[in-house]
Amino acid sequence: MAFELENIVPWGRSYEEYIAMFALGRAELSGRILGCGDGPSSFNAHASRRGIRVVSCDPIYQFSTAEIRGRIRKVVPEILRQLRENADDYCWDRFSSPEALCRRRLEAMNDFLEDFTNGKKEGRYLEASLPRLPFGTQTFDLAISSHLLFTYSSHLSLEFHLESILELCRVAREVRIFPQLDISRRESPHREPLVRELTACGFGVESIRVDYEFQKGSNAYLRIFTP
Ligand SMILES: C[S@@+](CC[C@H](N)C(=O)[O-])C[C@H]1O[C@@H](n2cnc3c(N)ncnc32)[C@H](O)[C@@H]1O
């Protein structure tokens, strides 16, 4: 089935949020990083400016800058409405209000949009979709994925999650997934079966607490690695 931009909500977090969500320090940032499902986040734009080697992949990279910008503009009012309506579900220390959050995210997405054409030419933004990625085995030191797996547990099956995580483990030595809750702040129903299956396959799996919590109760990433 063709990937329709109209069906997705392009929404991107900032470089600083990525650093906090995945507790990225000097060691991680000195290796090759894959950002899977990075969408219009500014992680790649800012990381690349700092000399960090990042490739981002996402199906929306098949669209033009103007098309992605247009779609972002369309979804903002609905996102703002939902944030106001469900404000109690979020921690408002990093962002003071739904309006402040939208301003910050729009700045981050604008940084992405300004970087997109160049980054695509440089091979930093690649159109690709889980559960199959166009990279060789162990191309990356670390693969990170934010607000795709677990978040959309009601749309993406356990099989899709397992295939996707195994594919991420094929292309990277270590995988980090944030958050582990679904969009309704429940622990993803896929988490426990996945941990069992991945452990049985010989992977190390652990939950790592981080200094980032926006969705209340969501403050840890899942780390999957080869022991
Ligand atoms: C909610 S956004 C998160 C964007 C970014 N990771 C962040 O946290 O700011 C989810 C992203 O996943 C992408 N996506 C959807 N299906 C995908 C797939 N099968 N493989 C990789 N990315 C996918 C969407 O295009 C979208 O950009």
Side-chain angles (χ1 to χ4, degrees), residues 133-147:
L133 298 176
F135 307 110
T137 301
Q138 307 287 279
T139 301
F140 300 95
D141 298 298
L142 176 65
I144 53 182
S145 190
S146 149
H147 294 86

Side-chain angles (χ1 to χ4, degrees), residues 167-182:
E167 179 70 342
L168 289 166
C169 289
R170 181 185 69 76
V171 303
R173 293 216 302 264
E174 180 180 328
V175 175
R176 298 183 184 181
I177 299 169
F178 188 98
Q180 299 177 60
L181 305 188
D182 69 13

